[in-house]
Amino acid sequence: MLPPMVGRESLGVLLRNRPFVFYLGTTATSSVGGAMLNAALAWQVYDMTGSPLPLGFLGVARFVPNFVLSFIGGALADTRDRRVIVGISQLVPLAVAAVLGILTATETITLGAIYFSSAITGIAAAFQGPAQTALLPQIVPPTSFQRSVTLNTMVRKLSGVFGPFVAGLILAIAGVAPAYFGRMALMLLGLVFLASIRVDASTNPRAQLSLKLIKEGLDFMWGHRPVLGAMTLDLLAETFGSAEALLPIYAKDVLGVGAVGFGLLNSARAVGGLAMSAVLTAIPPVVSSGRVLVLTVVCFGLATVAFGLSTWFPLSLVLYALIAAIDQVSVVLRQNIIQLGTPDALRGRVNSVNQVFVGSSGYLGEMESGVVAAWTGSAQFAVVSGGFGCLAAAVLLAALIPSLWRYRLALQTPRAEEPITPQPL
């Protein structure tokens, strides 16, 4: 039997929690808008340059500020009202979308403006991510936390189905500028949802921002090797196994399906993740989560190799959805290890480290894919070799951190006052 802390309240009770429903609304608008923005940026950059390398630099422009500032963002989330941090952070991509839309509509857009806008978006994400993740435990009771995380992930995946597909249609029918303006409208709606969230003022963090806070978070990470190993495994898997940056090339040159096919490929990933999320809500938690996490990354690498070799669009859609389904298992297992193993007082800082590993891995993956594709002249070689790199990373990390392979889920979040005991390799 599961402990009383885990998943005892029904879904109906959770959905009657108005702040949580508004939180889901914020997740939905942010996810759809973000997917639209990323698709428009990638399509526009490749249309302007015709080269895979600039697509890789697009990821780097977001990665560098996100990496540098995420630790500060996590510490800030443990000292200030997290709703305010999220709201201010969302104003930034709203303004970026407006500027990009105007520059595109007036035909004055440049690569420099796109890269600068991506960097600004990366700065905002460094503060929004930890604060938004750490806000969730403030608006749902502990008995609903695991279910709320799964449902929030499902909403994010469902939103991802519509975002890329709608972006593909807008790009094909109306062009790039309307896609940016659509992102603006969604961000405004998201701010309305965010403003409607109410939390108990006594739960807001009250600590003072300092370097000591950042060090405490890093010390916790180093003392809990399975948590650190889970994040590192995701970093390596996404860096080597990500094919997202090369999707415009696949749509145009490998599969020959154009902008609509590009949108469908993006949506297939969201569909696969959503389907697996639904499955995961219907089965008991995976107790041997460390072992299953490593094996899941192995399957992720194999599916990536198969996608890289495919030149038939229907098969590519299925394989890309499969990649997303496998990745969703990894997401849930990693979140279980991190969220259920972290004291509430450290959530912002630990989530900031997780954001560096997870978010930055995507940016590094874009760079790795773009550089290898440009160096070899083959997008397919970049994806296939990345899949094999993912396999090697899983085997290597399981050997270096055997405690990750042996990790079993405790299914209960430690309290802030509980001692933090370092775990051996």
Side-chain angles (χ1 to χ4, degrees):
M1 296 179 62
L2 296 181
M5 285 285 293
V6 181
R8 291 302 186 188
E9 292 190 353
S10 69
L11 181 61
V13 171
L14 181 59
L15 292 179
R16 286 195 292 273
N17 183 333
R18 289 175 61 86
F20 177 66
V21 173
F22 289 130
Y23 184 94
L24 292 182
T26 301
T27 296
T29 53
S30 179
S31 299
V32 173
M36 290 178 61
L37 179 64
N38 291 337
L41 285 171
W43 188 263
Q44 187 171 38
V45 168
Y46 187 61
D47 189 58
M48 291 172 65
T49 64
S51 171
L53 190 58
L55 291 174
F57 286 122
L58 187 63
V60 172
R62 294 193 296 266
F63 161 70
V64 174
N66 189 276
F67 175 80
V68 172
L69 296 174
S70 280
F71 297 108
I72 299 176
L76 189 65
D78 285 337
T79 62
R80 298 291 186 274
D81 189 328
R82 290 156 180 164
R83 294 168 302 167
V84 174
I85 297 172
V86 173
I88 294 175
S89 299
Q90 287 186 343
L91 290 174
V92 175
L94 189 154
V96 165
V99 171
L100 289 174
I102 293 172
L103 292 177
T104 301
T106 58
E107 298 184 351
T108 56
I109 192 72
T110 64
L111 278 179
I114 292 176
Y115 290 143
F116 179 76
S117 298
S118 295
I120 296 298
T121 303
I123 293 174
F127 292 90
Q128 179 180 342
Q132 188 163 344
T133 304
L135 176 63
L136 184 56
Q138 290 184 253
I139 60 179
V140 295
T143 50
S144 295
F145 181 71
Q146 186 170 339
R147 191 186 298 276
S148 69
V149 170
T150 303
L151 187 58
N152 187 59
T153 302
M154 289 182 64
V155 169
R156 189 182 301 277
K157 295 297 181 182
L158 182 60
S159 302
V161 173
F162 298 102
F165 180 66
V166 170
L169 289 178
I170 294 176
L171 290 170
I173 297 173
V176 178
Y180 290 136
F181 293 136
R183 160 70 158 164
M184 279 183 59
L186 286 169
M187 292 303 297
L188 288 171
L189 180 59
L191 287 172
V192 173
F193 286 134
L194 181 65
S196 302
I197 296 175
R198 296 291 183 267
V199 299
D200 184 349
S202 64
T203 65
N204 285 327
R206 300 179 183 278
Q208 293 297 318
L209 182 63
S210 67
L211 291 177
K212 181 181 178 181
L213 285 180
I214 299 176
K215 183 178 182 299
E216 286 178 355
L218 296 176
D219 287 344
F220 174 84
M221 293 292 304
W222 185 252
H224 288 67
R225 299 300 172 83
V227 174
L228 180 62
M231 293 184 184
T232 304
L233 183 59
D234 180 80
L235 172 68
L236 296 176
E238 289 294 329
T239 297
F240 289 114
S242 176
E244 186 174 357
L246 300 178
L247 285 189
I249 300 175
Y250 263 79
K252 280 188 174 183
D253 303 334
V254 178
L255 301 171
V257 290
V260 174
F262 170 66
L264 287 172
L265 279 172
N266 275 291
S267 295
R269 183 176 180 88
V271 169
L274 176 64
M276 182 54 71
S277 293
V279 172
L280 292 172
T281 59
I283 64 175
V286 178
V287 177
S288 299
S289 51
R291 181 170 303 181
V292 177
L293 176 62
V294 173
L295 295 176
T296 297
V297 173
V298 170
C299 294
F300 179 81
L302 292 172
T304 300
V305 170
F307 174 78
L309 294 173
S310 173
T311 57
W312 185 39
F313 183 59
L315 178 60
S316 296
L317 279 177
V318 172
L319 288 172
Y320 207 53
L322 178 62
I323 289 172
I326 296 171
D327 185 53
Q328 183 59 25
V329 177
S330 173
V331 169
V332 171
L333 293 176
R334 188 179 65 250
Q335 286 299 313
N336 281 341
I337 293 172
I338 297 168
Q339 302 295 349
L340 296 180
T342 302
D344 292 338
L346 290 165
R347 281 189 184 276
R349 282 159 285 176
V350 171
N351 282 316
S352 72
V353 178
N354 186 46
Q355 175 170 290
V356 169
F357 279 71
V358 176
S360 300
S361 66
Y363 306 151
L364 288 175
E366 292 177 6
M367 183 61 185
E368 186 270 342
S369 298
V371 170
V372 173
W375 179 49
T376 62
S378 172
Q380 288 182 281
F381 179 85
V383 174
V384 171
S385 63
F388 282 117
C390 183
L391 292 173
V395 174
L396 179 63
L397 202 60
L400 292 177
I401 309 180
S403 60
L404 174 62
W405 177 261
R406 297 191 301 263
Y407 185 84
R408 293 175 64 84
L409 191 61
L411 288 175
Q412 189 159 352
T413 306
R415 296 183 299 273
E417 64 270 16
E418 293 177 347
I420 301 173
T421 305
Q423 299 182 10
L425 285 174

